[in-house]
Amino acid sequence: MVTVLEMPEITSPITVNQPATAPIPEVERGIIEIESVDFAYGTNKVLHDISLNIPPRSVTAFIGPSGCGKTTLLRCLNRMNDLIDGAGITRGSIKIEGLDINAPHLDVVDLRRRVGMVFQKSNPFPKSIYDNVAYGLRIAGITKRTLIDEAVEKSLRSAALWDEVKDRLHVSGYGLSGGQQQRLCIARALAVEPEIVLMDEPCSALDPIATAKVEELIRQLKEQYTIVIVTHNMQQAGRCSDVTAFFYLGRLIEFDRTTKIFSNPAQRQTEEYITGRFG
């Protein structure tokens, strides 16, 4: 019988180095429920019996050494792995608000609207700042200019970018700095009003100043969105996340409050990783 690692009850803000903006709400079940998931690329099995519940309106960090399966699991949450031939879940289920996201007739386009993604390397489209943010709205069939204008401004404000670009919305997104480009990609993801935002190493290519801005943005966004972030940066996980999942060799080793993981981990492997003994 598989034991699902439940999100522990939390009644106070969670951080390691600074106060959180809000406590994690107590939940009977997570907004994302992952149960007994195995995943393989062809015959190469890379995830083994993963079970955990991700709480809503919080930041969950996936940590672990390279090749441990954390990015693969992240990409399972909006079925990005469908784009890889021969890759897929071989056992188990992933549910978002009770809906099995791998059900045969599920609308994958709608799933990816509900579950946005920001990639490791900023990838603005070869379009203006305005058109980058408006892209998803137009794909969704929204054509009324006033609605698009409102959504673009709202999304850029949410991504803490509006004041920096409001006078050059029709300039190419490529003209922005690296940190601004990453925030533009976050704004693009927010424009279609997702419930969940996935972030795969969003700060790995950024300088410390840009990283600090993105981290502050993540802390603000959790008031409205559920955020799941993959990071190799232990300090970043400690600063940004409310709960942390540690993976090793495709297995979930420990899942708990970030304060607990970093101050008193239950598993020896977790302690050895976060103290830098391997990884």
Side-chain angles (χ1 to χ4, degrees), residues 120-155:
Q120 180 174 1
K121 184 178 179 181
S122 57
N123 59 338
F125 299 145
K127 299 174 180 289
S128 69
I129 294 168
Y130 181 98
D131 287 336
N132 262 274
V133 181
Y135 182 82
L137 300 167
R138 289 170 172 155
I139 291 294
I142 297 174
T143 57
K144 191 173 181 180
R145 183 59 182 253
T146 55
L147 292 179
I148 295 176
D149 287 348
E150 290 172 4
V152 167
E153 179 175 347
K154 179 182 176 182
S155 301

Side-chain angles (χ1 to χ4, degrees), residues 6-265:
E6 296 283 353
M7 169 57 209
E9 289 189 359
I10 301 174
T11 57
S12 60
I14 305 299
T15 57
V16 171
N17 293 324
Q18 59 187 65
T21 54
I24 298 177
E26 295 183 14
V27 291
E28 294 183 1
R29 69 180 191 182
I31 187 173
I32 304 173
E33 300 172 279
I34 303 169
E35 184 174 357
S36 306
V37 165
D38 292 351
F39 184 93
Y41 294 104
T43 59
N44 181 27
K45 189 175 177 181
V46 296
L47 293 179
H48 307 266
D49 198 24
I50 304 296
S51 295
L52 73 156
N53 290 341
I54 294 174
R57 294 197 177 185
S58 62
V59 181
T60 299
F62 289 175
I63 66 172
S66 296
C68 69
K70 55 190 183 295
T71 292
T72 294
L73 181 61
L74 189 80
R75 291 169 61 92
C76 286
L77 302 182
N78 68 349
R79 290 182 52 176
M80 287 293 292
N81 289 319
D82 289 8
L83 304 175
I84 303 172
D85 290 340
I89 291 175
T90 59
R91 185 176 73 97
S93 68
I94 298 176
K95 296 179 180 179
I96 294 179
E97 295 187 323
L99 177 67
D100 184 351
I101 67 169
N102 290 290
H105 302 297
L106 182 95
D107 185 340
V108 179
V109 173
D110 183 62
L111 172 68
R112 292 176 184 155
R113 184 200 63 76
R114 295 179 61 195
V115 186
M117 190 159 190
V118 178
F119 295 92
Q120 180 174 1
K121 184 178 179 181
S122 57
N123 59 338
F125 299 145
K127 299 174 180 289
S128 69
I129 294 168
Y130 181 98
D131 287 336
N132 262 274
V133 181
Y135 182 82
L137 300 167
R138 289 170 172 155
I139 291 294
I142 297 174
T143 57
K144 191 173 181 180
R145 183 59 182 253
T146 55
L147 292 179
I148 295 176
D149 287 348
E150 290 172 4
V152 167
E153 179 175 347
K154 179 182 176 182
S155 301
L156 288 170
R157 286 188 183 278
S158 295
L161 193 58
W162 174 254
D163 289 339
E164 298 171 40
V165 303
K166 62 184 178 182
D167 296 323
R168 48 184 177 137
L169 293 177
H170 299 291
V171 172
S172 171
Y174 289 152
L176 300 176
S177 69
Q180 289 174 325
Q181 286 188 16
Q182 191 65 298
R183 283 183 284 148
L184 176 62
C185 293
I186 293 172
R188 188 175 65 201
L190 299 180
V192 293
E193 299 186 339
E195 301 160 33
I196 298 162
V197 180
L198 311 178
M199 297 186 176
D200 186 10
E201 293 278 0
C203 301
S204 64
L206 304 182
D207 61 59
I209 294 175
T211 294
K213 288 184 178 181
V214 172
E215 288 182 359
E216 177 59 28
L217 174 60
I218 290 170
R219 287 189 288 268
Q220 293 172 6
L221 290 176
K222 76 173 184 180
E223 296 180 6
Q224 301 178 60
Y225 306 95
T226 299
I227 298 174
V228 186
I229 180 172
V230 166
T231 181
H232 280 97
N233 187 321
M234 295 301 95
Q235 290 76 21
Q236 183 172 82
R239 289 190 297 262
C240 292
S241 69
D242 300 299
V243 290
T244 296
F246 169 59
F247 296 86
Y248 183 64
L249 296 179
R251 298 184 184 277
L252 176 62
I253 305 301
E254 189 168 352
F255 176 57
D256 211 325
R257 293 172 297 172
T258 297
T259 45
K260 175 71 163 53
I261 290 284
F262 281 87
S263 63
N264 187 28

